[in-house]
Amino acid sequence: MPPSPQRFDLRRSIGRIVLGALAHVGRFSMLVVEFFRGLKEPKIWVPRAMDEAWNIGIGSLFIVLLVSAFAGAVTALQAGYQFQGNLPWFVVGTLVTQSIVLELGPVLTGLILAGRIGARYAAEIGTMRVTEQIDALESLGRSPASHLLVPRVVAGLVMVPVLVIFADVIGVAMGWFSARQVMPLTDADFAYGAQAYYRPFDAYYSLIKAFFFAGAITFIPCYMGFNTSQGAEGVGRSTTGAVVSASVLILLLDTLLAQLLLTV
Amino acid sequence: MIELRDVAKRFGEQVVLDGVDFTVADGETVALLGPSGTGKSVLLKHIIGLIKPDRGSVIVDGLDVPRLRRNELRQLRYRIGYVFQNGALFDSMNVFENVRLGISDTDKFDDLAYSRDAVTRCIRLVNLAPETIEKYPAELSGGMRKRVGIARAIVGEPDYLLYDEPTSGLDPVNADIIDDLVKQLDKELGVTSVMVTHDVRGAFRVADRLALLSEGKIVMQGTQQEFLASDSPKVREFLERDFQNATLPEA
Ligand SMILES: Nc1ncnc2c1ncn2[C@@H]1O[C@H](COP(=O)(O)OP(=O)(O)OP(=O)(O)O)[C@@H](O)[C@H]1O
Ligand SMILES: [Mg+2]
């Protein structure tokens, strides 16, 4: 059938987009179901997950610490600049701690790892898809979920929160350090400020966020990887797609979790 | 027994298989011939359930493959060895681990001594040096990868073997070794096999019967004699072209 010149049909385009989105939702849900099925084979995924967790942890520690250290320092310096003469100095301690623990630690770590881990997962699984390695696994009666998906997701769910803890600690420490360099602020002031408005839930909130971000960073790229087609170009497309979608999802989850969990 | 009845498959607009009827009796070796891009690999993937047909039925060992439940399909796949056209080795694992994954019996798989023996034996069968098992796929040549793929398919002692062009890209000596191996597995262990190939000469040497796939259909299925006697233009064209190619170097 020769392509007939058609006028732009809004209803049809919207219909196609909705159907496409529903198909993604459907296939993504299947992947999540596969994940839980795959969990039933710990003998296969536990050793692989440990390797993967080690890779993620060691590979990302430096960049995560670097970024959170700078975030802590800049937050402290800017707070100092804004507060001079208006607010007591100890508020800098409050602001640094709260900004880092509630927002910057988890979000910046999440976004960095979306690039680092997400790109790797999508490229690895995508390459395995286009070189028929996933078909080969299936042909051997082995489950791609327990060999490929579960180890990666579990490693992420464990390691991302760990990295966020490191990021929180280093971010606050660097904020403290920088504040002391440039402001008339004592250690006692900073510590008082940090504790004055601190609720124990804040630390949990940081971890809850990290956990949800870990889900986005691992599941989305694996999904993109498994659904790769058309060779090297397809792998490239999956990889960029994975990083962008995971990052956007992190920002959405960030907003959503703030709405749901931080009741005023 | 492998039985495909009226199998049709299309990808988007492109009709690849269009009513394929294809049978392989128990213990038999059938060579599947056909021009490049006609859907030989697609047909082979139907047999192991990697691709589901749009229409028609795929029966292996009395089981309706597309409708099998996950566990039944897994059990069936344990009994089928599949040699991928490009090897499809796991590149994060060395040759030993690759081939070992072909051992479907859990107890044997966990038994390291047994695994070492079985893997080494199969590596020898495909004419690779024992040292190869420490190497990674990226360190192997294309032909070596292909033979590792064959070793992985046979190490689990399957009842069925599906070879996707096992000898293409191999030198004549190794191609003959693989052909002999296919024949030996067939004769000694009674394996039921399908061998996709472009090498008509090799197919004649190894296969009990041949099948020619062209334009989405099995044009002809029969013995070597029946093929040589056929006056169907498609069969003739295919045989003549390939025989010319095959006999040229010897002339
Ligand atoms: N997953 C797929 N998606 C879309 N099209 C496909 C897919 N797999 C195969 N095809 C198409 O089906 C046709 C047959 O492919 P197939 O790989 O079976 O050919 P073949 O007979 O094995 O060829 P060759 O001898 O070159 O290996 C090709 O035109 C190919 O483009
Ligand atoms: Mg092929």
Side-chain angles (χ1 to χ4, degrees):
Chain A
M1 201 176 64
S4 56
Q6 260 180 357
R7 258 181 299 142
F8 178 71
D9 185 339
L10 185 66
R11 262 187 311 176
R12 187 170 292 187
S13 310
I14 290 177
R16 198 172 300 134
I17 290 170
V18 169
L19 282 184
L22 283 179
H24 273 298
V25 170
R27 269 181 294 172
F28 188 81
S29 322
M30 302 247 293
L31 187 85
V32 176
V33 172
E34 285 295 321
F35 170 78
F36 286 107
R37 280 220 180 92
L39 278 177
K40 281 184 245 162
E41 296 186 300
K43 219 174 73 187
I44 289 166
W45 63 257
V46 169
R48 286 162 213 267
M50 300 221 274
D51 286 350
E52 206 64 66
W54 179 253
N55 285 341
I56 293 178
I58 294 301
S60 311
L61 189 58
F62 176 73
I63 182 75
V64 165
L65 294 187
L66 187 76
V67 169
S68 63
F70 274 95
V74 171
T75 311
L77 298 181
Q78 292 188 348
Y81 170 75
Q82 287 172 2
F83 295 169
Q84 53 189 325
N86 301 321
L87 288 169
W89 288 114
F90 75 82
V91 182
V92 172
T94 311
L95 194 96
V96 167
T97 318
Q98 296 279 309
S99 311
I100 293 289
V101 172
L102 292 183
E103 175 71 8
L104 293 175
V107 171
L108 287 178
T109 307
L111 290 175
I112 293 165
L113 296 181
R116 271 197 71 95
I117 304 177
R120 212 181 60 165
Y121 283 4
E124 281 173 354
I125 296 183
T127 305
M128 294 188 73
R129 165 60 79 202
V130 298
T131 55
E132 296 188 312
Q133 293 179 50
I134 293 176
D135 284 348
L137 263 186
E138 288 196 58
S139 82
L140 295 167
R142 303 191 179 268
S143 140
S146 45
H147 282 79
L148 304 176
L149 176 66
V150 178
R152 285 179 170 80
V153 172
V154 171
L157 292 180
V158 173
M159 287 317 283
V160 173
V162 171
L163 287 168
V164 165
I165 294 175
F166 276 100
D168 287 352
V169 171
I170 291 294
V172 172
M174 264 315 273
W176 187 334
F177 177 77
S178 327
R180 231 180 33 182
Q181 301 302 308
V182 298
M183 290 161 225
L185 170 94
T186 63
D187 284 351
D189 285 342
F190 191 96
Y192 171 75
Q195 283 163 12
Y197 299 96
Y198 180 81
R199 306 169 201 78
F201 175 72
D202 293 351
Y204 290 118
Y205 180 67
S206 198
L207 286 180
I208 291 169
K209 269 175 132 171
F211 191 74
F212 276 92
F213 294 171
I217 293 166
T218 53
F219 269 111
I220 299 263
C222 288
Y223 170 76
M224 301 293 260
F226 276 113
N227 286 289
T228 301
S229 57
Q230 287 159 14
E233 197 193 327
V235 175
R237 219 172 16 229
S238 293
T239 307
T240 38
V243 174
V244 172
S245 337
S247 306
V248 171
L249 185 58
I250 284 176
L251 298 176
L252 288 178
L253 283 171
D254 192 31
T255 318
L256 194 71
L257 289 173
Q259 280 278 343
L260 289 178
L261 299 180
L262 299 188
T263 38
V264 186
Chain B
M1 177 145 136
I2 300 171
E3 193 176 4
L4 274 71
R5 250 180 281 135
D6 192 30
V7 168
K9 180 71 192 177
R10 54 195 265 177
F11 294 105
E13 297 287 294
Q14 183 193 9
V15 177
V16 177
L17 301 180
D18 185 18
V20 165
D21 293 300
F22 179 66
T23 48
V24 186
D26 282 335
E28 195 182 30
T29 298
V30 173
L32 181 61
L33 306 165
S36 183
T38 37
K40 301 184 297 298
S41 302
V42 168
L43 192 160
L44 217 54
K45 283 181 186 161
H46 276 85
I47 299 176
I48 196 163
L50 286 175
I51 297 182
K52 284 187 200 296
D54 299 335
R55 184 184 84 213
S57 61
V58 181
I59 315 275
V60 177
D61 210 42
L63 302 168
D64 186 356
V65 178
R67 283 185 196 76
L68 286 181
R69 284 211 302 264
R70 148 189 312 263
N71 244 334
E72 298 166 330
L73 184 59
R74 196 178 228 201
Q75 293 302 325
L76 177 65
R77 281 171 171 171
Y78 283 154
R79 299 172 46 216
I80 304 180
Y82 192 108
V83 178
F84 283 82
Q85 189 165 355
N86 57 16
L89 302 184
F90 308 118
D91 42 31
S92 60
M93 303 179 189
N94 68 13
V95 169
F96 170 69
E97 288 160 341
N98 260 284
V99 177
R100 187 188 187 188
L101 271 185
I103 303 175
S104 33
D105 185 297
T106 326
D107 294 334
K108 288 180 178 170
F109 181 87
D110 291 338
D111 181 345
L112 194 63
Y114 174 89
S115 301
R116 287 235 160 241
D117 277 359
V119 170
T120 315
R121 184 164 41 80
C122 291
I123 285 293
R124 282 226 177 79
L125 280 179
V126 295
N127 196 32
L128 286 169
E131 305 87 76
T132 319
I133 66 169
E134 300 300 335
K135 295 208 164 137
Y136 282 81
E139 302 166 330
L140 303 178
S141 76
M144 292 164 89
R145 268 181 239 155
K146 185 151 254 177
R147 284 179 283 159
V148 173
I150 296 173
R152 184 175 67 187
I154 64 177
V155 72
E157 298 171 356
D159 302 329
Y160 294 89
L161 272 164
L162 310 174
Y163 306 90
D164 199 344
E165 304 194 15
T167 58
S168 72
L170 294 188
D171 61 282
V173 175
N174 275 306
D176 281 352
I177 288 173
I178 298 302
D179 281 342
D180 289 340
L181 178 65
V182 173
K183 201 162 181 168
Q184 183 193 344
L185 290 167
D186 173 21
K187 292 291 162 294
E188 289 174 12
L189 304 173
V191 178
T192 307
S193 351
V194 180
M195 183 168 111
V196 171
T197 180
H198 287 292
D199 173 17
V200 179
R201 207 172 50 106
F204 279 176
R205 244 158 51 85
V206 173
D208 301 308
R209 283 191 311 126
L210 299 95
L212 177 64
L213 181 70
S214 176
E215 289 171 10
K217 291 201 166 62
I218 297 284
V219 183
M220 178 169 176
Q221 219 178 153
T223 62
Q224 180 179 341
Q225 285 73 26
E226 286 167 344
F227 260 72
L228 288 173
S230 163
D231 45 17
S232 148
K234 273 186 187 145
V235 175
R236 289 249 59 94
E237 188 196 9
F238 201 78
L239 291 185
E240 273 154 24
R241 193 185 47 210
D242 266 65
F243 262 114
Q244 271 163 14
N245 290 343
T247 47
L248 263 179
E250 291 166 15

